[in-house]
């Protein structure tokens, strides 16, 4: 959205909005250093608290000429995350690494669980400051979530909610409104607060064919009603 309206115009709109930027979404590790630095600069420009970082999909890596298998792609991540942390060190924004649902492994993220994300972050050198963006939509299926969220602890920087529709029609752009699907968001709230996260809850509803066609004002009213009911 920033790029499509132009950075100068986006800044003018933003500065007049009186809103706070919890995060800028999204930077992809596989896009390389130039793209990441651009996102970091943008995040600072808009005063974002975090920059959400995903790996990018396996196909993004293949497009750069990469010919290894997926396990080898995953083995690159520690070095790349370390380099990203070093790039971010001279920016105000903090990096929040977001594991995504296995169904988007091919085109969004080769890290598909919180357990895997934690194992990777644990191998980073001390002083490499990368936290986590936790998305209930991406992780609702995972086993032992409470234990893993406790392990994540103060590394949790962002918390995203929406709902999983049982008859979802798109791998990415058919998220449900809280309360319309299968995610136990009250249980999630209890778990994430027990893990120590008391920050904002970000409602993230990618819904190309339904909610994005609803006027923003009425959609916002439904979000408020549902968050009051589900939380
Ligand atoms: Zn998310």
């Amino acid at each position: 959205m920033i790029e499509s309206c132009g950075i100068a115009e986006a800044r003018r709109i933003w500065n007049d909005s009186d809103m706070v930027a919890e995060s800028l979404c999204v930077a992809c590790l596989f896009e390389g250093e130039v793209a990441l630095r651009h996102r970091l600069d943008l995040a600072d420009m808009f005063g974002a608290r975090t920059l959400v970082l995903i790996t990018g999909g396996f196909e993004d890596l293949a497009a750069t000429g990469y010919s290894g298998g997926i396990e080898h792609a995953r083995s690159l991540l520690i070095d790349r995350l370390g380099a990203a942390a070093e790039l971010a060190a001279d920016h105000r924004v903090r990096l929040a690494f977001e594991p995504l649902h296995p169904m988007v492994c091919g085109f969004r993220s080769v890290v598909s669980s919180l357990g895997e994300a934690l194992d990777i972050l644990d191998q980073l050198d001390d002083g490499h400051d990368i936290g986590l963006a936790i998305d209930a939509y991406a992780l609702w299926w995972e086993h032992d979530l409470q234990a893993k969220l406790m392990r994540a602890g103060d590394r949790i920087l962002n918390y995203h909610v929406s709902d999983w529709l049982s008859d979802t029609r798109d791998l990415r752009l058919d998220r449900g409104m809280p309360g319309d699907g299968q995610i136990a968001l009250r249980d999630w709230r209890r778990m994430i607060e027990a893990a120590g996260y008391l920050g904002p809850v970000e409602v993230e509803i990618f819904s190309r064919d339904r909610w994005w066609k609803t006027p923003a004002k009425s959609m916002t009213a439904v979000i408020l009603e549902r968050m009051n009911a589900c939380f």
Side-chain angles (χ1 to χ4, degrees):
M1 291 174 78
I2 291 171
E3 275 137 16
S4 66
C5 89
I7 292 174
E9 175 67 359
R11 286 186 75 177
R12 190 193 64 72
I13 294 168
W14 186 251
N15 291 339
D16 287 348
S17 75
D18 236 9
M19 291 195 285
V20 174
E22 283 302 327
S23 55
L24 184 81
C25 286
V26 59
C28 298
L29 266 184
F30 292 161
E31 283 181 346
E33 183 180 327
V34 172
L36 178 58
R37 189 184 293 280
H38 175 62
R39 296 279 181 221
L40 287 162
D41 291 344
L42 270 185
D44 272 4
M45 204 182 284
F46 285 81
R49 185 172 61 86
T50 67
L51 174 62
V52 176
L53 180 66
I54 60 176
T55 68
F58 191 56
E59 69 181 17
D60 296 328
L61 199 55
T64 66
Y66 176 79
S67 59
I70 192 154
E71 280 306 326
H72 188 237
R74 289 176 175 138
S75 74
L76 303 176
L77 291 174
I78 292 161
D79 283 351
R80 293 204 178 196
L81 281 167
E86 276 158 31
L87 268 186
D90 60 0
H91 289 73
R92 287 189 302 276
V93 70
R94 293 183 72 189
L95 288 173
F97 184 50
E98 183 174 28
L100 296 181
H101 193 279
M103 72 178 180
V104 298
C105 183
F107 67 105
R108 296 291 286 170
S109 173
V110 299
V111 174
S112 304
S113 70
L114 177 55
E116 192 183 349
L118 287 165
D119 288 346
I120 291 168
L121 292 189
D122 283 351
Q123 293 174 66
L124 284 179
D125 292 341
D126 287 349
H128 280 169
D129 179 26
I130 295 184
L132 287 158
I134 301 293
D135 191 327
Y137 190 82
L139 304 175
W140 73 283
W141 59 274
E142 191 163 343
H143 300 276
D144 280 333
L145 265 170
Q146 177 73 81
K148 290 173 188 167
L149 288 167
M150 296 300 282
R151 196 179 143 203
D154 63 7
R155 289 181 284 187
I156 302 172
L157 301 181
N158 294 96
Y159 176 42
H160 301 165
V161 301
S162 60
D163 216 337
W164 182 279
L165 302 175
S166 60
D167 61 345
T168 187
R169 284 161 205 183
D170 189 278
L171 293 180
R172 184 163 171 253
L173 301 177
D174 189 29
R175 292 186 176 207
M177 189 65 74
D180 283 349
Q182 299 177 323
I183 305 177
L185 288 169
R186 283 177 185 273
D187 290 347
W188 264 87
R189 175 179 176 173
R190 182 181 43 71
M191 289 191 295
I192 202 131
E193 289 181 358
Y197 182 79
L198 299 171
V201 178
E202 296 168 62
V203 181
E204 188 180 56
I205 302 176
F206 305 134
S207 173
R208 184 182 53 207
D209 295 329
R210 180 163 184 203
W211 293 105
W212 286 355
K213 290 183 173 169
T214 306
K217 200 168 180 183
S218 49
M219 177 175 149
T220 311
V222 176
I223 288 173
L224 287 174
E225 178 202 318
R226 295 302 181 81
M227 292 302 283
N228 284 328
C230 292
F231 276 65

